[in-house]
Amino acid sequence: MEKIFEKLNESQSLAVKQSEGPVLILAGAGSGKTTTIVSRLAYLIEVLGIPASNTLTLTFTNKAAKEMRERALDMIENVSYPPLLCTFHKFGLLFLKFNIHLLNRQNNFVVIDTDDKKRIIKRINTEIPTPLIASEISRYKNSLLTPDDAYKQAELFNYQQIAKVYEEYEAYLRENNLVDFDDLIALTYKLLDENPELAEKTSQKYQYIMIDEYQDTNELQLKLLQKLCSSHSNLCVVGDDDQSIYGWRGAHIRNIMEFDQDFKGTSTFKLENNYRSKEPILKVANALIEHNRSRLGKKLIATRGSGEDVTILNSHDENEESRKIAQKIRKLLDSGVQANDIAILYRVNVLSRSIEEGLNRTGIAYKLVGGLRFYDRAEIKDLISYIRIITNFHDDFSFKRVVNKPKRGLGKASIEKIELAAHANESSIYEYIKKTSLADLEVLVRKKNAKTLKTFIKNIENVSKVASESTYEFVDVLEDTFHLKDIYAGMQDEADRVLNMDEFYGLFRDFVKKSPESGLDEFLNELTLQSEQDQVEGESIYMMSIHASKGLEFEHIFIIGLEEGFLPLVGDGSDLEEERRLGYVSFTRAKETLTLSHAGSRFYKGRRSDLQKSRFFNEAGLCEGSLKVEKNTAFKKGDLVRHKIFGTGRVTGISKSGREFKLNINFAGTKRDILASFVERL
C-alpha cells in the first residue's frame, strides 16, 4: 500500500481511494494523470482484493496503453491473470472475436484500415469524392444508422447516392468477412444492445471500469460505457475538458462537461499540480484557456519552479522563420540537447514544408509524424494483402491487389472477367478458380492465364499450410514462393523498398517471438490498430500537427503559424473555443522552453498572403495587440439565473453580441435572449 501512495499528492490519493460509484478525475496537462490511473488500478487489485480480471481500463492510443500496462504491472504483485488494459478499439476487437457469431458472422474476420476502406468505396462509386463518402459512412456508423436509415434521412440527391454506396459497402464487408475501424465499437454496442443477457454478463465481468482521455469520447462510446455499467456504477473517467480537441472527428465535449448528469452521484476530483512544465509556460497556458466559457474550471500550478520566459519569434515570411528556427535548434543540439527532446508543432500540416526545407539546409535530421506511415507504403500494403489472402482465401479485395504482383501476365480485363463469373456463381474469386475446371477457365481467359491462376491458387494453399504449422518460417516461405521482392526489380527506389520489406519481415518475426501462440489474423489486426503516435521513437527532432502531439511531451517546443487563419483557424465551421484548447494543448507539451513563432506573410494555396498576428499572443498575456481580448463570461450552459422581471430560468445557450454576451434562457418553458449583464447567477 505504501508503494501505491508514496508518489501521490493529496488530490491524487483521494481520487485513488474513491473506489465505488461514478468518479470524475479532472486532470490538467502534466498533472500525473497516468500515475493516478495506474495507482487506482493497483489499489483496487492489491489493497481491496478486486480480481484483476474484473477490471477494465480503456484509452485511445497503443502508446498510452503500453505505458499504462507496463507501469501497472510494475505495481501489482502476485497476479496470475493481468488486468485488461487496452484501447477502445482493441477491446472491441477482443469482444467481437468471442461474440460476433451472434450476428451470424465468422470470428476470423480481418480489420481493414482507412486506405482499404477508401479503395472499396472507390470500386463502388467514382463520381462522389471518396473522402466524403468515407467520412459519411463513419458518421452513420457512429450514429448507429443503417443504410436504410441513412437513405430515409437524405434530402439531397448526393446523400441518397452515399446511402446506396453505404449499403453496397456493408454488403461487401459481410461477403468478405471484413470489419472496419468503426465496426469495432458499433458492432460491440449492437451486440450488447440486442442481447441484454450478454450485456448483463459483460457488465458483471467488468465490475470496475476506468477510462483515460474521457474528453475524447464520442456519443457511441458513451452509450457503450452505459451498457458496460448496466449492473453497477463503478465507472471512473479521467480527462481534461481543456484538452478536448477532436470535435471534428466526433468527440463530444459534453461527455465530460455533463458526466455527473449521465452518471448520478458522481464524485469529482481536480488534479491541478503540474509536474511537466516550468512556471512561465503554465502562466501563458492558464491565461489563454481562461478565455473559454465552456469549461469546468481549474488552474495549473507549477511544481518545477521558474524557468526561461516564453520566446516570441517575429519573422517577415516563412523562409526567415525556418532559418531562425533551424538556427535555434542547431544551438540546442550543439549544447548537448538530445534531438528527440525537441519538437516543432503546427495547426495546419501544409506549414511543415518551409520548416522541412530549413532543417534540410542546416543538416538537421527530423521525423515527420503523421506523414506517410510505414504500413501505408505500397510494398508493405502488398505484403499485408498476401497475408490477408493466406488468412482468408475469400478476400476478393486483397486477391485482386496482388494476383498480378509480381507480374504474371494477367491483364485487367482477364481479372474482371474472372470476378464477374465468380459473382454470377455467388462465390469468391478464389473459390471460383478452384472449383472451375481448367478447360472452363480457358473459355474465359487465355490458356496461359488459366494455368497461371490455378498455380497461384495452389501456391496460396501451400503457403497457408506452412502458416498453420510454423508461423515463424512463414515469411521465408512466402518470399521463396512468390518472389515478392521481384515486384520492384529495376525500379529507381528498389533498394529502399526491399529494405522496407526486410524491416516488415523482421517486425513479423519479432511479433511471433513475443506471441508464439498468435496466428496471422492477430498479427494483421495489431497492424491495423497502429496509431500515428507509435511513430515517436528514434534520434531525430519531431515535426507534427498539434493534434498528433496530444499526450506527448518534449523538453523544447517550437510552435509555428501563430497567425489569424492558421492558429486559430477562423471562418465557417471553426470553433474558437476548440482552437484555444489546441493552443493550450500545444503550449503544455513543453517542459523547459516554449517558442511561439509567427510570420508577416506566407505562400499558401498558390499565392502570398499578408497575415495578422494571432489573437492568442494577446489572450495569453504575451503582448499588446490590435484585436480585442474577449472577456470570459461568468455564465455557462445549464446555469440557473434570475431576471428582475422574468424570474428564474436556466441558461440554454451563450453567444457573442458586440462587447457583451447574449444568453438564451428558458424561463418556465418560454425561451428569451437576454444580455448577460441583466441577470444574476443563482
Side-chain angles (χ1 to χ4, degrees):
M1 189 161 171
E2 283 178 14
K3 187 179 178 183
I4 294 171
F5 289 99
E6 64 185 359
K7 292 180 182 177
L8 302 183
N9 62 36
E10 187 182 355
S11 299
Q12 291 171 322
S13 296
L14 290 171
V16 164
K17 290 174 182 174
Q18 183 62 50
S19 60
E20 305 305 303
V23 176
L24 169 61
I25 302 175
L26 279 177
S31 62
K33 166 177 69 75
T34 304
T35 300
T36 307
I37 293 174
V38 296
S39 298
R40 192 173 188 275
L41 183 60
Y43 178 76
L44 289 171
I45 296 167
E46 290 283 290
V47 179
L48 299 188
I50 307 299
S53 58
N54 288 144
T55 69
L56 172 65
T57 307
L58 299 178
T59 186
F60 280 86
T61 68
N62 291 315
K63 187 175 186 297
K66 183 173 181 285
E67 182 192 350
M68 286 163 65
R69 193 180 303 113
E70 288 170 355
R71 287 172 63 175
L73 292 176
D74 189 48
M75 296 180 78
I76 300 167
E77 298 170 8
N78 307 317
V79 173
S80 53
Y81 187 85
L84 183 53
L85 201 164
C86 60
T87 64
F88 267 94
H89 290 94
K90 181 67 180 282
F91 172 73
L93 173 65
L94 296 171
F95 185 83
L96 292 180
K97 282 283 179 186
F98 286 102
N99 299 295
I100 202 169
H101 65 277
L102 296 172
L103 296 173
N104 296 317
R105 295 173 72 162
Q106 295 172 308
N107 71 350
N108 66 336
F109 60 84
V110 167
V111 185
I112 61 169
D113 63 17
T114 306
D115 192 41
D116 297 326
K117 177 180 177 179
K118 287 178 178 175
R119 287 174 190 272
I120 296 167
I121 290 168
K122 197 169 274 188
R123 177 180 168 275
I124 298 168
N125 183 294
T126 55
E127 293 172 14
I128 302 170
T130 302
L132 172 63
I133 300 175
S135 69
E136 282 302 297
I137 288 175
S138 185
R139 187 175 67 81
Y140 295 149
K141 291 195 176 191
N142 281 288
S143 301
L144 301 171
L145 296 177
T146 65
D148 273 352
D149 295 331
Y151 191 81
K152 284 171 189 170
Q153 276 192 10
E155 293 179 9
L156 299 174
F157 177 71
N158 262 9
Y159 284 88
Q160 291 171 357
Q161 294 296 100
I162 291 172
K164 285 180 179 175
V165 175
Y166 179 28
E167 184 175 34
E168 287 187 52
Y169 170 79
E170 284 293 271
Y172 185 92
L173 294 190
R174 289 188 75 100
E175 284 166 18
N176 291 281
N177 199 24
L178 305 171
V179 301
D180 65 21
F181 224 52
D182 295 311
D183 285 331
L184 295 176
I185 308 293
L187 293 180
T188 297
Y189 175 79
K190 183 179 168 72
L191 280 163
L192 293 172
D193 190 47
E194 293 178 357
N195 299 275
E197 286 183 10
L198 177 63
E200 181 73 11
K201 180 182 164 190
T202 308
S203 180
Q204 286 176 353
K205 176 176 172 58
Y206 300 115
Q207 285 285 320
Y208 292 86
I209 300 173
M210 286 195 287
I211 311 297
D212 184 26
E213 305 287 10
Y214 189 67
Q215 76 282 344
D216 294 339
T217 55
N218 61 22
E219 188 180 355
L220 179 56
Q221 286 159 336
L222 168 61
K223 287 184 173 181
L224 174 62
L225 292 174
Q226 288 171 327
K227 289 291 177 189
L228 292 174
C229 291
S230 56
S231 72
H232 61 81
S233 62
N234 300 326
L235 173 66
C236 172
V237 304
V238 186
D240 185 358
D241 51 319
D242 291 333
Q243 294 187 72
S244 177
I245 60 172
Y246 294 114
W248 52 277
R249 74 177 186 199
H252 213 317
I253 192 171
R254 62 94 33 217
N255 286 3
I256 193 164
M257 296 289 289
E258 299 178 11
F259 179 78
D260 58 346
Q261 294 175 39
D262 294 329
F263 299 92
K264 302 298 181 188
T266 294
S267 301
T268 302
F269 302 89
K270 291 183 182 181
L271 308 185
E272 296 176 300
N273 285 352
N274 177 284
Y275 299 98
R276 177 188 298 156
S277 308
K278 291 294 179 75
E279 192 272 335
I281 296 167
L282 297 183
K283 185 179 176 184
V284 297
N286 282 328
L288 175 66
I289 202 63
E290 278 174 8
H291 287 82
N292 270 6
R293 297 187 298 277
S294 298
R295 62 191 298 257
L296 294 166
K298 64 185 172 328
K299 193 161 190 169
L300 295 179
I301 301 163
T303 62
R304 294 188 60 226
S306 60
E308 287 184 35
D309 285 341
V310 174
T311 302
I312 299 174
L313 275 189
N314 304 301
S315 303
H316 174 66
D317 60 19
E318 71 274 20
N319 298 315
E320 184 184 343
E321 175 185 64
S322 68
R323 281 197 304 275
K324 286 180 175 177
I325 287 177
Q327 286 166 5
K328 279 186 162 290
I329 289 174
R330 172 53 64 201
K331 199 172 176 183
L332 284 171
L333 295 172
D334 290 346
S335 73
V337 172
Q338 295 291 305
N340 56 3
D341 284 334
I342 304 169
I344 302 170
L345 310 182
Y346 36 81
R347 172 70 177 90
V348 182
N349 285 316
V350 74
L351 296 187
S352 72
R353 181 194 57 80
S354 59
I355 299 291
E356 286 186 69
E357 290 172 1
L359 295 174
N360 284 329
R361 281 193 296 269
T362 319
I364 296 171
Y366 66 88
K367 185 167 186 179
L368 193 65
V369 177
L372 184 63
R373 292 169 60 228
F374 179 75
Y375 298 107
D376 288 336
R377 298 176 189 278
E379 60 272 24
I380 305 303
K381 296 290 281 184
D382 290 339
L383 284 173
I384 291 170
S385 292
Y386 264 102
I387 298 175
R388 281 182 170 167
I389 297 173
I390 288 154
T391 307
N392 174 13
F393 296 155
H394 307 294
D395 181 351
D396 284 0
F397 178 71
S398 298
F399 190 102
K400 286 188 295 175
R401 181 180 175 102
V402 298
V403 69
N404 203 36
K405 288 183 179 181
K407 288 198 178 343
R408 300 185 175 92
L410 294 163
K412 192 178 177 184
S414 297
I415 296 165
E416 283 178 355
K417 284 177 186 174
I418 295 291
E419 185 182 17
L420 285 170
H423 285 181
N425 281 271
E426 297 184 343
S427 68
S428 65
I429 298 173
Y430 158 84
E431 194 174 24
Y432 178 78
I433 295 168
K434 184 174 174 67
K435 287 183 177 177
T436 306
S437 68
L438 192 60
D440 286 342
L441 274 180
E442 287 169 3
V443 173
L444 279 176
V445 296
R446 287 185 301 173
K447 190 173 184 179
K448 184 186 172 190
N449 287 348
K451 284 183 178 175
T452 298
L453 287 167
K454 284 285 190 184
T455 303
F456 183 67
I457 290 292
K458 192 165 185 186
N459 286 339
I460 290 287
E461 290 175 342
N462 289 341
V463 176
S464 179
K465 280 181 191 169
V466 172
S468 62
E469 292 162 7
S470 173
T471 315
Y472 191 81
E473 293 172 9
F474 162 72
V475 287
D476 294 322
V477 177
L478 179 72
E479 183 59 39
D480 292 342
T481 304
F482 294 109
H483 308 290
L484 302 181
K485 291 177 183 176
D486 292 352
I487 299 171
Y488 306 102
M491 287 189 182
Q492 196 173 1
D493 57 354
E494 178 185 358
D496 287 341
R497 290 180 183 265
V498 169
L499 276 174
N500 287 335
M501 294 173 80
D502 286 335
E503 174 79 358
F504 180 87
Y505 289 152
L507 287 167
F508 178 86
R509 292 189 186 99
D510 190 49
F511 173 81
V512 175
K513 275 184 186 174
K514 289 177 180 173
S515 314
E517 302 303 316
S518 297
L520 293 183
D521 57 343
E522 278 95 341
F523 175 68
L524 288 172
N525 290 330
E526 284 297 325
L527 291 189
T528 310
L529 296 176
Q530 296 288 327
S531 79
E532 51 183 28
Q533 288 194 3
D534 297 326
Q535 300 173 60
V536 179
E537 54 185 24
E539 270 301 308
S540 60
I541 73 162
Y542 293 105
M543 294 180 58
M544 67 190 84
S545 70
I546 296 170
H547 283 101
S549 75
K550 187 165 167 294
L552 304 177
E553 59 182 26
F554 298 89
E555 298 289 321
H556 307 278
I557 287 284
F558 294 81
I559 305 169
I560 64 170
L562 271 110
E563 298 104 26
E564 291 293 298
F566 287 112
L567 182 61
L569 280 181
V570 290
D572 291 343
S574 65
D575 176 348
L576 187 55
E577 296 223 342
E578 185 152 316
E579 294 298 309
R580 270 196 204 95
R581 293 195 288 269
L582 278 162
Y584 173 83
V585 166
S586 63
F587 292 2
T588 54
R589 299 310 94 201
K591 296 167 79 174
E592 293 293 325
T593 70
L594 173 63
T595 301
L596 307 179
S597 173
H598 72 89
S601 76
R602 291 187 188 276
F603 191 77
Y604 181 60
K605 291 187 176 177
R607 64 189 180 89
R608 181 158 295 282
S609 302
D610 290 331
L611 300 166
Q612 192 175 15
K613 208 170 183 178
S614 171
R615 71 188 75 187
F616 291 171
F617 284 109
N618 201 2
E619 294 182 352
L622 287 165
C623 67
E624 293 294 325
S626 57
L627 281 159
K628 266 305 224 192
V629 178
E630 269 186 27
K631 289 294 180 189
N632 188 5
T633 175
F635 301 101
K636 65 178 188 292
K637 198 174 172 182
D639 281 349
L640 274 176
V641 295
R642 180 184 292 118
H643 185 272
K644 60 184 177 183
I645 303 296
F646 303 121
T648 301
R650 190 174 292 278
V651 177
T652 57
I654 305 170
S655 59
K656 196 83 172 66
S657 178
R659 293 188 179 184
E660 264 268 35
F661 286 100
K662 182 170 65 178
L663 308 180
N664 183 262
I665 305 169
N666 186 339
F667 294 101
T670 303
K671 289 190 176 181
R672 301 178 187 274
D673 287 335
I674 305 285
L675 291 175
S677 55
F678 285 80
V679 296
E680 61 177 353
R681 186 162 60 172
L682 293 178

